Amino acid sequence: MPHLGGLSIDDVCSDDSGGGVIIDAAVAAAEGVCPGCGTASARVHSRYRRRLADAALGGRSVMLRLRVRRFFCDNIGCAARTFVEQVTGLTVKWARRTSPTTRVLTAIALALAGRAAARLAAQLAVPASRSTLLRLLGKMPDPVATTLTRIGVDDFAFRRGHTYGTVIVDIDNHRPVDVLADRTRDTLADWLRTHPGVELVCRDRAGAYAEAVRTAAPDAIQVADRWHLWHNLVEAVEKTVIAERAALHKPEPNELEPAANDVAAVLDSRPAEPAVRPVEGRLATRTRQRWTAVHDLLAAGRSISAIARQLRLQRKTVRRFARAATVEELLDRARPRRDSLLDPYKPYLQERFTAGGVDAVQLTREITDFGYRGSLKSVRTYLHPLRAGRVAPQPVPIAPTVRQVTGWLTRHPDRLTEDDDVQLKQVLARSDTLTVTHRQVREFAEMLTQRRGEHLDAWMRDVDARGAAPLRSFTKGLRTDLYAVAAGLTLPYSSGPVEGAVTRIKALKRQMYGRAGFSLLRKRILSPA
Ligand SMILES: [Zn+2]
């Protein structure tokens, strides 16, 4: 039988089940080399068989049945008295798989982890359990440490709102270089002390990371990360929009009502995504307060009538609140439904129908050409009252949501659709505060994208003098970290790569959530993608 890669093949046969392949082989070398001292030995102590799983052959699993020898080590200076021979590149001590197969399984575990990895391994006829795959990950060595000069630091949630870790990224090559088990000042400071030479740290605004750098790498330049700056500004804008919510509603309900014979106008005048009014603001707050009051009084043994008198509510209202087991039930009901699929086409249907001579089937066909995805039945139901001579209610134009308006104010103007732009202008026309905010956001964006840190001071003074309250507190925050903010608006470095790493961590975490501990997640984060 032939020799192959250090093996002398004796026999190839099917296993008992007939589904797998068994290769009987022996180590071809005449003598063994002691791994402890490198001395060759031909004096055999004993022989035995090892079973090593190997990569599949023709889709069938392969088991290598290898005869190995245990040799005496005759080097008196060596601590080992005996040793077992290994085939370079194929076997290692204790392993139950050939080394190439272990590498394949490790790669699968890195890419997928958990159940999906086990399924793929089974498909490749090198079955391995989930726990085996996780163990292989754990055995991977860490990437070789290099001297880091510029790093980005950010936190990420192991479990949302529960525990956080810290990822450190090499700003220059965008690779994650370490993962820390928490996001405290001391942990990062310790890391910085063991990694001297860091000259620049991109980080979130202020807080624990800033302190860690100040104490453990005082000479390093701190750069407030642009992504976080922008994110905080967007939050301030959202608060401003919430405060200006009244301006989002259109004063005359017919203002946007299109000419019914102009289909394009009908379709264009609708918000791109049918708005769901957020459950927030006064109505939701009042609902919560009432629900709590009603249930407190019920718990105190009051009758519905007594509660109605005390809270000055109608009895049927009290009953409705009493019936709701949670306040969310009431809020859900209070939330307007999503527009029906038909809503955008109603003015058109009405116009066409009253002009006469067309039926529901024909009209459904027509609006389907315009993008309607609903049923014929909905069209019939809508037309029914028209048929009976009654006028169907016009769909009420829906005010844009806080979220939409925040998006319009903070998105690059080039990325607004014409429709968004029209709606934004209408909102701005109703609110001086939002008009000023819009200008200030644009100016900040310009500083940010064109590295005009020198304009920061003038911008902050403008916000202090004319800006909305949430933006004023945003600038107050900037002032507490001014040096790093100015660096963030001036230097080319940014934690963009860190955000990329955090995004990847989220994906990795989803795949192995609950299955693997910190050290395994760390391995996957640090492994080359
Ligand atoms: Zn030896």
Side-chain angles (χ1 to χ4, degrees):
M1 283 302 265
H3 283 223
L4 188 75
L7 297 178
S8 150
I9 312 282
D10 299 330
D11 192 17
V12 178
C13 58
S14 284
D15 65 11
D16 291 342
S17 71
V21 175
I22 291 181
I23 299 175
D24 279 313
V27 181
E31 41 188 27
V33 176
C34 171
C37 64
T39 306
S41 168
R43 210 152 67 82
V44 176
H45 169 278
S46 53
R47 293 184 162 81
Y48 67 101
R49 271 186 192 279
R50 284 180 74 177
R51 294 166 66 87
L52 294 146
D54 197 18
L57 183 67
R60 303 166 76 189
S61 63
V62 170
M63 178 65 71
L64 183 61
R65 226 158 39 185
L66 188 61
R67 281 185 294 127
V68 293
R69 293 160 291 184
R70 180 178 285 278
F71 292 97
F72 289 104
C73 179
D74 291 328
N75 178 359
I76 304 165
C78 180
R81 285 191 51 241
T82 66
F83 64 90
V84 174
E85 62 187 346
Q86 303 293 345
V87 181
T88 310
L90 190 72
T91 71
V92 291
K93 211 169 163 183
W94 311 121
R96 292 162 60 200
R97 294 182 178 77
T98 60
S99 304
T101 305
T102 302
R103 276 200 301 278
V104 167
L105 288 176
T106 306
I108 292 172
L110 261 181
L112 292 172
R115 197 166 291 150
R119 272 200 302 267
L120 180 55
Q123 278 294 313
L124 295 173
V126 279
S129 69
R130 272 191 286 171
S131 52
T132 300
L133 290 163
L134 290 176
R135 209 167 42 239
L136 289 176
L137 276 186
K139 282 191 197 159
M140 285 181 56
D142 277 353
V144 184
T146 50
T147 307
L148 293 158
T149 50
R150 288 184 281 265
I151 60 168
V153 179
D154 200 6
D155 61 0
F156 65 91
F158 287 118
R159 286 175 57 203
R160 188 178 288 276
H162 290 266
T163 49
Y164 289 84
T166 297
V167 62
I168 298 170
V169 171
D170 184 339
I171 290 283
D172 294 312
N173 67 12
H174 298 192
R175 292 282 298 278
V177 288
D178 214 341
V179 182
L180 312 180
D182 61 39
R183 56 171 179 179
T184 63
R185 180 197 60 192
D186 292 348
T187 302
L188 180 59
D190 285 347
W191 187 91
L192 286 166
R193 284 191 198 98
T194 54
H195 293 78
V198 170
E199 293 166 5
L200 181 139
V201 181
C202 270
R203 53 151 175 83
D204 189 358
R205 285 220 353 259
Y209 293 151
E211 278 181 56
V213 180
R214 242 187 325 268
T215 54
D219 294 334
I221 296 171
Q222 301 200 29
V223 180
D225 165 50
R226 285 193 285 282
W227 188 90
H228 282 104
L229 288 175
W230 182 249
H231 182 76
N232 292 338
L233 177 69
V234 171
E235 276 180 0
V237 171
E238 185 174 30
K239 282 180 195 151
T240 310
V241 175
I242 289 172
E244 289 289 297
R245 207 168 23 217
L248 309 190
H249 296 271
K250 296 170 180 67
E252 305 99 336
N254 288 324
E255 185 190 68
L256 262 192
E257 212 61 312
N261 58 354
D262 184 349
V263 179
V266 170
L267 301 178
D268 286 351
S269 67
R270 307 293 304 179
E273 4 172 350
V276 176
R277 250 169 267 152
V279 182
E280 62 186 358
R282 256 175 304 179
L283 178 65
T285 310
R286 202 182 57 197
T287 304
R288 277 179 217 284
Q289 286 166 348
R290 274 192 185 159
W291 183 88
T292 311
V294 167
H295 280 261
D296 284 349
L297 291 168
L298 280 173
R302 301 294 184 80
S303 69
I304 297 282
S305 305
I307 297 171
R309 270 195 306 278
Q310 182 170 345
L311 299 179
R312 290 188 194 160
L313 294 171
Q314 292 191 327
R315 270 194 313 209
K316 80 174 182 200
T317 308
V318 175
R319 250 182 234 113
R320 191 160 56 84
F321 276 74
R323 267 199 306 267
T326 64
V327 71
E328 269 67 30
E329 277 180 47
L330 294 166
L331 293 174
D332 275 346
R333 230 172 288 152
R335 186 183 312 190
R337 282 160 172 267
R338 266 181 84 90
D339 286 13
S340 92
L341 291 172
L342 194 58
D343 277 359
Y345 307 95
K346 282 179 181 171
Y348 176 75
L349 289 178
Q350 205 166 1
E351 169 70 17
R352 291 281 287 132
F353 188 79
T354 31
V358 279
D359 62 5
V361 177
Q362 167 67 23
L363 286 175
T364 305
R365 205 174 297 138
E366 289 179 18
I367 61 175
T368 301
D369 284 344
F370 295 129
Y372 173 62
R373 291 287 169 268
S375 65
L376 168 63
K377 192 167 164 238
S378 303
V379 176
R380 280 224 169 93
T381 310
Y382 176 70
L383 292 177
H384 190 73
L386 297 183
R387 220 179 278 280
R390 278 179 284 137
V391 176
Q394 288 283 334
V396 181
I398 295 164
T401 61
V402 167
R403 210 193 152 126
Q404 280 175 313
V405 176
T406 306
W408 297 335
L409 287 167
T410 54
R411 216 174 298 154
H412 193 283
D414 292 352
R415 288 181 50 208
L416 290 182
T417 67
E418 247 172 76
D419 186 39
D420 292 343
D421 196 42
V422 169
Q423 292 201 66
L424 172 60
K425 289 205 170 93
Q426 285 166 348
V427 170
L428 294 184
R430 288 192 288 269
S431 165
D432 292 340
T433 306
L434 292 182
T435 304
V436 172
T437 303
H438 186 231
R439 172 178 62 77
Q440 289 168 339
V441 169
R442 296 263 64 78
E443 289 169 358
F444 192 83
E446 207 174 289
M447 275 192 294
L448 203 69
T449 51
Q450 308 190 356
R451 311 288 147 63
R452 293 284 170 75
E454 71 271 19
H455 296 168
L456 178 63
D457 190 53
W459 186 85
M460 290 193 302
R461 275 188 279 116
D462 176 59
V463 171
D464 291 342
R466 281 169 282 273
L471 269 86
R472 291 203 305 273
S473 62
F474 171 70
T475 59
K476 205 169 150 195
L478 295 184
R479 284 205 169 86
T480 63
D481 194 26
L482 197 53
Y483 186 73
V485 170
L489 293 179
T490 313
L491 298 176
Y493 308 107
S494 158
S495 310
V498 186
E499 289 318 308
V502 169
T503 307
R504 185 163 154 260
I505 290 169
K506 283 180 188 157
L508 293 176
K509 233 174 36 190
R510 266 198 296 278
Q511 288 174 352
M512 52 200 306
Y513 182 72
R515 290 292 308 162
F518 167 72
S519 58
L520 291 170
L521 180 60
R522 183 172 175 280
K523 289 282 185 205
R524 293 192 78 199
I525 293 168
L526 295 181
S527 78

PDB file of all heavy atoms in Angstrom, residues 118-143:
ATOM      1  N   ALA A 118     -22.829  23.891  13.900  1.00  0.00           N
ATOM      2  CA  ALA A 118     -22.954  22.442  14.039  1.00  0.00           C
ATOM      3  C   ALA A 118     -23.663  21.851  12.815  1.00  0.00           C
ATOM      4  O   ALA A 118     -23.291  20.789  12.318  1.00  0.00           O
ATOM      5  CB  ALA A 118     -23.714  22.094  15.322  1.00  0.00           C
ATOM      6  N   ARG A 119     -24.671  22.592  12.318  1.00  0.00           N
ATOM      7  CA  ARG A 119     -25.399  22.106  11.130  1.00  0.00           C
ATOM      8  C   ARG A 119     -24.485  22.069   9.914  1.00  0.00           C
ATOM      9  O   ARG A 119     -24.487  21.098   9.161  1.00  0.00           O
ATOM     10  CB  ARG A 119     -26.591  23.021  10.835  1.00  0.00           C
ATOM     11  CG  ARG A 119     -27.851  22.624  11.574  1.00  0.00           C
ATOM     12  CD  ARG A 119     -29.069  23.216  10.883  1.00  0.00           C
ATOM     13  NE  ARG A 119     -28.992  24.671  10.787  1.00  0.00           N
ATOM     14  CZ  ARG A 119     -29.515  25.497  11.681  1.00  0.00           C
ATOM     15  NH1 ARG A 119     -30.174  25.021  12.716  1.00  0.00           N
ATOM     16  NH2 ARG A 119     -29.401  26.790  11.526  1.00  0.00           N
ATOM     17  N   LEU A 120     -23.693  23.125   9.723  1.00  0.00           N
ATOM     18  CA  LEU A 120     -22.803  23.166   8.564  1.00  0.00           C
ATOM     19  C   LEU A 120     -21.756  22.055   8.665  1.00  0.00           C
ATOM     20  O   LEU A 120     -21.469  21.372   7.679  1.00  0.00           O
ATOM     21  CB  LEU A 120     -22.124  24.529   8.444  1.00  0.00           C
ATOM     22  CG  LEU A 120     -21.163  24.681   7.260  1.00  0.00           C
ATOM     23  CD1 LEU A 120     -21.852  24.344   5.940  1.00  0.00           C
ATOM     24  CD2 LEU A 120     -20.585  26.089   7.203  1.00  0.00           C
ATOM     25  N   ALA A 121     -21.227  21.854   9.866  1.00  0.00           N
ATOM     26  CA  ALA A 121     -20.226  20.797  10.047  1.00  0.00           C
ATOM     27  C   ALA A 121     -20.817  19.439   9.676  1.00  0.00           C
ATOM     28  O   ALA A 121     -20.177  18.621   9.012  1.00  0.00           O
ATOM     29  CB  ALA A 121     -19.727  20.800  11.491  1.00  0.00           C
ATOM     30  N   ALA A 122     -22.077  19.217  10.081  1.00  0.00           N
ATOM     31  CA  ALA A 122     -22.724  17.950   9.754  1.00  0.00           C
ATOM     32  C   ALA A 122     -22.874  17.811   8.244  1.00  0.00           C
ATOM     33  O   ALA A 122     -22.659  16.738   7.680  1.00  0.00           O
ATOM     34  CB  ALA A 122     -24.088  17.863  10.438  1.00  0.00           C
ATOM     35  N   GLN A 123     -23.222  18.933   7.573  1.00  0.00           N
ATOM     36  CA  GLN A 123     -23.345  18.925   6.118  1.00  0.00           C
ATOM     37  C   GLN A 123     -22.034  18.546   5.455  1.00  0.00           C
ATOM     38  O   GLN A 123     -22.021  17.874   4.433  1.00  0.00           O
ATOM     39  CB  GLN A 123     -23.764  20.311   5.614  1.00  0.00           C
ATOM     40  CG  GLN A 123     -25.251  20.585   5.690  1.00  0.00           C
ATOM     41  CD  GLN A 123     -26.030  19.691   4.753  1.00  0.00           C
ATOM     42  OE1 GLN A 123     -25.667  19.550   3.596  1.00  0.00           O
ATOM     43  NE2 GLN A 123     -27.072  19.051   5.261  1.00  0.00           N
ATOM     44  N   LEU A 124     -20.948  18.988   6.037  1.00  0.00           N
ATOM     45  CA  LEU A 124     -19.629  18.710   5.460  1.00  0.00           C
ATOM     46  C   LEU A 124     -19.104  17.340   5.892  1.00  0.00           C
ATOM     47  O   LEU A 124     -17.960  17.005   5.617  1.00  0.00           O
ATOM     48  CB  LEU A 124     -18.636  19.802   5.876  1.00  0.00           C
ATOM     49  CG  LEU A 124     -18.948  21.195   5.333  1.00  0.00           C
ATOM     50  CD1 LEU A 124     -18.007  22.240   5.924  1.00  0.00           C
ATOM     51  CD2 LEU A 124     -18.843  21.220   3.804  1.00  0.00           C
ATOM     52  N   ALA A 125     -19.955  16.569   6.575  1.00  0.00           N
ATOM     53  CA  ALA A 125     -19.599  15.220   7.040  1.00  0.00           C
ATOM     54  C   ALA A 125     -18.400  15.222   7.974  1.00  0.00           C
ATOM     55  O   ALA A 125     -17.600  14.293   7.982  1.00  0.00           O
ATOM     56  CB  ALA A 125     -19.391  14.274   5.849  1.00  0.00           C
ATOM     57  N   VAL A 126     -18.215  16.296   8.729  1.00  0.00           N
ATOM     58  CA  VAL A 126     -17.251  16.290   9.833  1.00  0.00           C
ATOM     59  C   VAL A 126     -18.003  16.719  11.090  1.00  0.00           C
ATOM     60  O   VAL A 126     -17.766  17.793  11.627  1.00  0.00           O
ATOM     61  CB  VAL A 126     -16.037  17.223   9.591  1.00  0.00           C
ATOM     62  CG1 VAL A 126     -15.020  16.555   8.725  1.00  0.00           C
ATOM     63  CG2 VAL A 126     -16.462  18.548   8.973  1.00  0.00           C
ATOM     64  N   PRO A 127     -18.949  15.907  11.524  1.00  0.00           N
ATOM     65  CA  PRO A 127     -19.852  16.329  12.593  1.00  0.00           C
ATOM     66  C   PRO A 127     -19.101  16.732  13.861  1.00  0.00           C
ATOM     67  O   PRO A 127     -18.084  16.149  14.214  1.00  0.00           O
ATOM     68  CB  PRO A 127     -20.728  15.111  12.843  1.00  0.00           C
ATOM     69  CG  PRO A 127     -20.026  13.969  12.200  1.00  0.00           C
ATOM     70  CD  PRO A 127     -19.176  14.533  11.107  1.00  0.00           C
ATOM     71  N   ALA A 128     -19.614  17.789  14.501  1.00  0.00           N
ATOM     72  CA  ALA A 128     -19.063  18.242  15.772  1.00  0.00           C
ATOM     73  C   ALA A 128     -20.196  18.914  16.524  1.00  0.00           C
ATOM     74  O   ALA A 128     -21.007  19.613  15.918  1.00  0.00           O
ATOM     75  CB  ALA A 128     -17.923  19.240  15.533  1.00  0.00           C
ATOM     76  N   SER A 129     -20.250  18.686  17.815  1.00  0.00           N
ATOM     77  CA  SER A 129     -21.331  19.274  18.598  1.00  0.00           C
ATOM     78  C   SER A 129     -21.070  20.756  18.805  1.00  0.00           C
ATOM     79  O   SER A 129     -19.951  21.242  18.614  1.00  0.00           O
ATOM     80  CB  SER A 129     -21.435  18.586  19.947  1.00  0.00           C
ATOM     81  OG  SER A 129     -20.296  18.909  20.718  1.00  0.00           O
ATOM     82  N   ARG A 130     -22.113  21.450  19.231  1.00  0.00           N
ATOM     83  CA  ARG A 130     -21.958  22.883  19.499  1.00  0.00           C
ATOM     84  C   ARG A 130     -20.885  23.119  20.546  1.00  0.00           C
ATOM     85  O   ARG A 130     -20.076  24.023  20.421  1.00  0.00           O
ATOM     86  CB  ARG A 130     -23.287  23.457  20.005  1.00  0.00           C
ATOM     87  CG  ARG A 130     -24.174  23.913  18.880  1.00  0.00           C
ATOM     88  CD  ARG A 130     -25.326  24.699  19.433  1.00  0.00           C
ATOM     89  NE  ARG A 130     -26.303  23.842  20.075  1.00  0.00           N
ATOM     90  CZ  ARG A 130     -27.315  24.293  20.784  1.00  0.00           C
ATOM     91  NH1 ARG A 130     -27.461  25.581  20.971  1.00  0.00           N
ATOM     92  NH2 ARG A 130     -28.188  23.457  21.324  1.00  0.00           N
ATOM     93  N   SER A 131     -20.897  22.272  21.583  1.00  0.00           N
ATOM     94  CA  SER A 131     -19.930  22.536  22.655  1.00  0.00           C
ATOM     95  C   SER A 131     -18.499  22.279  22.164  1.00  0.00           C
ATOM     96  O   SER A 131     -17.571  22.983  22.549  1.00  0.00           O
ATOM     97  CB  SER A 131     -20.253  21.709  23.892  1.00  0.00           C
ATOM     98  OG  SER A 131     -20.396  20.365  23.533  1.00  0.00           O
ATOM     99  N   THR A 132     -18.342  21.294  21.285  1.00  0.00           N
ATOM    100  CA  THR A 132     -17.020  21.061  20.704  1.00  0.00           C
ATOM    101  C   THR A 132     -16.554  22.278  19.918  1.00  0.00           C
ATOM    102  O   THR A 132     -15.416  22.730  20.040  1.00  0.00           O
ATOM    103  CB  THR A 132     -17.054  19.841  19.762  1.00  0.00           C
ATOM    104  OG1 THR A 132     -17.454  18.713  20.522  1.00  0.00           O
ATOM    105  CG2 THR A 132     -15.712  19.592  19.122  1.00  0.00           C
ATOM    106  N   LEU A 133     -17.475  22.821  19.116  1.00  0.00           N
ATOM    107  CA  LEU A 133     -17.113  23.970  18.290  1.00  0.00           C
ATOM    108  C   LEU A 133     -16.736  25.166  19.157  1.00  0.00           C
ATOM    109  O   LEU A 133     -15.783  25.882  18.869  1.00  0.00           O
ATOM    110  CB  LEU A 133     -18.282  24.319  17.353  1.00  0.00           C
ATOM    111  CG  LEU A 133     -18.510  23.270  16.252  1.00  0.00           C
ATOM    112  CD1 LEU A 133     -19.878  23.425  15.628  1.00  0.00           C
ATOM    113  CD2 LEU A 133     -17.417  23.366  15.192  1.00  0.00           C
ATOM    114  N   LEU A 134     -17.493  25.368  20.224  1.00  0.00           N
ATOM    115  CA  LEU A 134     -17.178  26.484  21.121  1.00  0.00           C
ATOM    116  C   LEU A 134     -15.826  26.275  21.782  1.00  0.00           C
ATOM    117  O   LEU A 134     -15.058  27.201  21.989  1.00  0.00           O
ATOM    118  CB  LEU A 134     -18.276  26.647  22.176  1.00  0.00           C
ATOM    119  CG  LEU A 134     -19.614  27.164  21.639  1.00  0.00           C
ATOM    120  CD1 LEU A 134     -20.660  27.203  22.742  1.00  0.00           C
ATOM    121  CD2 LEU A 134     -19.466  28.543  21.021  1.00  0.00           C
ATOM    122  N   ARG A 135     -15.524  24.987  22.101  1.00  0.00           N
ATOM    123  CA  ARG A 135     -14.248  24.694  22.741  1.00  0.00           C
ATOM    124  C   ARG A 135     -13.094  24.998  21.785  1.00  0.00           C
ATOM    125  O   ARG A 135     -12.057  25.526  22.176  1.00  0.00           O
ATOM    126  CB  ARG A 135     -14.227  23.227  23.175  1.00  0.00           C
ATOM    127  CG  ARG A 135     -13.363  22.979  24.387  1.00  0.00           C
ATOM    128  CD  ARG A 135     -13.594  21.612  25.003  1.00  0.00           C
ATOM    129  NE  ARG A 135     -13.721  20.562  24.032  1.00  0.00           N
ATOM    130  CZ  ARG A 135     -14.791  19.773  23.909  1.00  0.00           C
ATOM    131  NH1 ARG A 135     -15.828  19.929  24.703  1.00  0.00           N
ATOM    132  NH2 ARG A 135     -14.837  18.823  23.002  1.00  0.00           N
ATOM    133  N   LEU A 136     -13.303  24.679  20.497  1.00  0.00           N
ATOM    134  CA  LEU A 136     -12.259  24.971  19.506  1.00  0.00           C
ATOM    135  C   LEU A 136     -11.986  26.469  19.447  1.00  0.00           C
ATOM    136  O   LEU A 136     -10.836  26.897  19.350  1.00  0.00           O
ATOM    137  CB  LEU A 136     -12.695  24.475  18.123  1.00  0.00           C
ATOM    138  CG  LEU A 136     -12.714  22.959  17.937  1.00  0.00           C
ATOM    139  CD1 LEU A 136     -13.259  22.607  16.557  1.00  0.00           C
ATOM    140  CD2 LEU A 136     -11.323  22.380  18.117  1.00  0.00           C
ATOM    141  N   LEU A 137     -13.071  27.261  19.511  1.00  0.00           N
ATOM    142  CA  LEU A 137     -12.893  28.717  19.503  1.00  0.00           C
ATOM    143  C   LEU A 137     -12.048  29.157  20.685  1.00  0.00           C
ATOM    144  O   LEU A 137     -11.159  29.997  20.559  1.00  0.00           O
ATOM    145  CB  LEU A 137     -14.244  29.419  19.607  1.00  0.00           C
ATOM    146  CG  LEU A 137     -15.033  29.636  18.330  1.00  0.00           C
ATOM    147  CD1 LEU A 137     -16.267  30.468  18.644  1.00  0.00           C
ATOM    148  CD2 LEU A 137     -14.178  30.349  17.308  1.00  0.00           C
ATOM    149  N   GLY A 138     -12.358  28.574  21.831  1.00  0.00           N
ATOM    150  CA  GLY A 138     -11.658  28.951  23.047  1.00  0.00           C
ATOM    151  C   GLY A 138     -10.175  28.671  22.979  1.00  0.00           C
ATOM    152  O   GLY A 138      -9.374  29.340  23.636  1.00  0.00           O
ATOM    153  N   LYS A 139      -9.786  27.673  22.162  1.00  0.00           N
ATOM    154  CA  LYS A 139      -8.373  27.294  22.088  1.00  0.00           C
ATOM    155  C   LYS A 139      -7.588  28.184  21.140  1.00  0.00           C
ATOM    156  O   LYS A 139      -6.358  28.109  21.080  1.00  0.00           O
ATOM    157  CB  LYS A 139      -8.250  25.846  21.591  1.00  0.00           C
ATOM    158  CG  LYS A 139      -8.546  24.816  22.653  1.00  0.00           C
ATOM    159  CD  LYS A 139      -8.118  23.457  22.129  1.00  0.00           C
ATOM    160  CE  LYS A 139      -8.727  22.327  22.922  1.00  0.00           C
ATOM    161  NZ  LYS A 139      -8.726  21.088  22.142  1.00  0.00           N
ATOM    162  N   MET A 140      -8.303  29.002  20.343  1.00  0.00           N
ATOM    163  CA  MET A 140      -7.579  29.853  19.387  1.00  0.00           C
ATOM    164  C   MET A 140      -6.674  30.841  20.105  1.00  0.00           C
ATOM    165  O   MET A 140      -7.083  31.451  21.078  1.00  0.00           O
ATOM    166  CB  MET A 140      -8.565  30.659  18.553  1.00  0.00           C
ATOM    167  CG  MET A 140      -9.254  29.861  17.501  1.00  0.00           C
ATOM    168  SD  MET A 140     -10.345  30.985  16.621  1.00  0.00           S
ATOM    169  CE  MET A 140      -9.171  32.225  16.112  1.00  0.00           C
ATOM    170  N   PRO A 141      -5.493  31.021  19.572  1.00  0.00           N
ATOM    171  CA  PRO A 141      -4.612  32.016  20.187  1.00  0.00           C
ATOM    172  C   PRO A 141      -5.088  33.425  19.855  1.00  0.00           C
ATOM    173  O   PRO A 141      -5.731  33.644  18.840  1.00  0.00           O
ATOM    174  CB  PRO A 141      -3.263  31.740  19.524  1.00  0.00           C
ATOM    175  CG  PRO A 141      -3.588  31.096  18.220  1.00  0.00           C
ATOM    176  CD  PRO A 141      -4.877  30.356  18.413  1.00  0.00           C
ATOM    177  N   ASP A 142      -4.772  34.395  20.720  1.00  0.00           N
ATOM    178  CA  ASP A 142      -5.083  35.794  20.448  1.00  0.00           C
ATOM    179  C   ASP A 142      -4.190  36.309  19.331  1.00  0.00           C
ATOM    180  O   ASP A 142      -3.106  35.788  19.124  1.00  0.00           O
ATOM    181  CB  ASP A 142      -4.835  36.642  21.704  1.00  0.00           C
ATOM    182  CG  ASP A 142      -6.017  36.586  22.642  1.00  0.00           C
ATOM    183  OD1 ASP A 142      -7.050  35.998  22.254  1.00  0.00           O
ATOM    184  OD2 ASP A 142      -5.906  37.115  23.753  1.00  0.00           O
ATOM    185  N   PRO A 143      -4.656  37.334  18.609  1.00  0.00           N
ATOM    186  CA  PRO A 143      -3.787  37.914  17.583  1.00  0.00           C
ATOM    187  C   PRO A 143      -2.522  38.479  18.232  1.00  0.00           C
ATOM    188  O   PRO A 143      -2.550  38.907  19.383  1.00  0.00           O
ATOM    189  CB  PRO A 143      -4.629  39.036  16.981  1.00  0.00           C
ATOM    190  CG  PRO A 143      -5.872  39.132  17.769  1.00  0.00           C
ATOM    191  CD  PRO A 143      -5.941  37.995  18.711  1.00  0.00           C
TER     192      PRO A 143
END
